[in-house]
Amino acid sequence: VDTLKNDILNDIDDFLLVVSFAVRQRTACLGWTATDKNSYTTFYRGNYTFPEPDDNISLDDGIIDIKDFQEFIDTCYPTFLRFENKLALRNSLYDVAPSKPRTIETSFLSMFAGLETLILDFKRREGLEFVLPEPVWVAFKKYLENCVKKSTEPKLERTQRASIYRKLGELNRVSLGEAFDEFCKTYSIDLADLWPVFAENGVIGLSDIRNRLIHGDPFPLHLIGPLSLANEHLQYTLERVIVMVLGWDINKTKINPAYLGVNLCAIKKLPGAQAQLSGYIHNQEA
């Protein structure tokens, strides 16, 4: 019983999590029944959130075509098992395959957190967290503090200097955008057809939307449509990222650029939604 509870169920949960991602429908193990010549045991798991069955969801709605499912599992589940930081990968899979319905805002924040989790893990593995090594940064930081202290044009008040000093540490951290670019290069991730994660050419990025939501700045009701479309693009972004991390051919999925371009309005409606949200945010910042 202890082996089933503490070891085997964990492996089943991981396997079902990869399955959930492939079919876009969260699946879970509710418990087990086991027998031998001396006993019959039924165990129901407590303190778990189990997904409600949705009769409206079909296997055709998944990321992977049913004909490729066995090959996908044979390829990607072993890759999952080999992934060093399984906690990071698990969290991202949970974020894109939730166990219960979410609002647009909570869905967006959750999926962006899943994307950040994988990027942070990549930064740590590749040694991309900091721009300068610690000894060099300590000396350079003192130099910067001295420059701020002696500034005459403009002359800074004590409180202004203190605020700048508190921000200096951020200068030595590799930006999320820079790390994301390296991440995409390493895993050969193509997101050119989707809403960009970071702002470019005057168009806000998905990160700008996340920043507003995380700081408690909601969008007005008339922008729910564009926000919903941005959320859909974030889902495709995270799904495409996970597919490449798991080592599967993106062309054998229903989130490859060709398939999305032909079958989904989310691509055709992208310019209009970007213009609406970009205009709103730029006006708020003006």
Side-chain angles (χ1 to χ4, degrees), residues 128-281:
L128 293 175
E129 282 194 87
F130 303 103
V131 178
L132 298 174
E134 186 65 18
V136 177
W137 168 246
V138 170
F140 186 58
K141 184 180 178 183
K142 288 181 179 179
Y143 169 77
L144 292 176
E145 289 173 345
N146 191 48
C147 291
V148 171
K149 184 177 181 179
K150 294 181 178 180
S151 175
T152 57
E153 294 292 337
K155 182 174 176 58
L156 301 172
E157 300 293 334
R158 181 179 179 182
T159 55
Q160 293 173 323
R161 294 198 302 271
S163 294
I164 294 173
Y165 294 152
R166 282 194 290 269
K167 287 285 188 178
L168 286 179
E170 298 177 17
L171 296 178
N172 196 39
R173 292 189 174 276
V174 174
S175 71
L176 184 66
E178 185 179 350
F180 183 66
D181 288 341
E182 289 300 318
F183 178 82
C184 289
K185 290 177 185 177
T186 298
Y187 285 103
S188 301
I189 300 170
D190 180 10
L191 302 171
D193 59 314
L194 301 177
W195 196 314
V197 176
F198 297 95
E200 56 183 46
N201 301 322
V203 175
I204 63 166
L206 298 173
S207 62
D208 297 298
I209 299 172
R210 175 264 182 197
N211 291 341
R212 292 186 68 88
L213 294 175
I214 199 68
H215 290 111
D217 194 359
F219 288 87
L221 288 177
H222 73 275
L223 290 177
I224 290 299
L227 182 61
S228 177
L229 191 131
N231 186 64
E232 190 174 347
H233 275 256
L234 178 56
Q235 176 184 330
Y236 300 143
T237 297
L238 181 53
E239 287 175 341
R240 206 175 281 181
V241 163
I242 293 174
V243 162
M244 299 306 290
V245 168
L246 290 176
W248 183 250
D249 183 356
I250 195 67
N251 293 313
K252 296 172 70 174
T253 70
K254 295 180 182 178
I255 52 172
N256 69 71
Y259 183 91
L260 292 183
V262 171
N263 293 281
L264 293 176
C265 293
I267 302 299
K268 300 179 180 68
K269 294 181 178 179
L270 178 59
Q274 288 177 322
Q276 286 181 276
L277 287 185
S278 296
Y280 175 78
I281 289 180

Side-chain angles (χ1 to χ4, degrees), residues 42-177:
T42 298
F43 175 79
Y44 294 100
R45 304 175 76 180
N47 300 321
Y48 277 79
T49 299
F50 295 111
E52 291 292 334
D54 188 345
D55 295 333
N56 295 319
I57 296 180
S58 155
L59 286 178
D60 292 331
D61 298 325
I63 295 172
I64 308 300
D65 194 287
I66 189 63
K67 66 180 176 60
D68 296 319
F69 182 78
Q70 184 65 55
E71 184 184 356
F72 173 84
I73 292 298
D74 290 343
T75 300
C76 297
Y77 183 57
T79 303
F80 173 90
L81 294 177
R82 291 191 299 268
F83 198 83
E84 184 175 354
N85 187 357
K86 288 187 181 61
L87 180 60
L89 187 50
R90 279 193 197 101
N91 285 348
S92 297
L93 287 165
Y94 283 132
D95 289 330
V96 80
S99 59
K100 56 185 178 181
R102 303 177 296 197
T103 65
I104 295 174
E105 292 83 358
T106 56
S107 173
F108 197 98
L109 291 175
S110 180
M111 288 193 291
F112 201 93
L115 185 61
E116 283 188 288
T117 297
L118 290 177
I119 299 171
L120 178 59
D121 173 67
F122 174 77
K123 287 171 67 174
R124 289 172 174 168
R125 283 189 283 113
E126 299 297 321
L128 293 175
E129 282 194 87
F130 303 103
V131 178
L132 298 174
E134 186 65 18
V136 177
W137 168 246
V138 170
F140 186 58
K141 184 180 178 183
K142 288 181 179 179
Y143 169 77
L144 292 176
E145 289 173 345
N146 191 48
C147 291
V148 171
K149 184 177 181 179
K150 294 181 178 180
S151 175
T152 57
E153 294 292 337
K155 182 174 176 58
L156 301 172
E157 300 293 334
R158 181 179 179 182
T159 55
Q160 293 173 323
R161 294 198 302 271
S163 294
I164 294 173
Y165 294 152
R166 282 194 290 269
K167 287 285 188 178
L168 286 179
E170 298 177 17
L171 296 178
N172 196 39
R173 292 189 174 276
V174 174
S175 71
L176 184 66

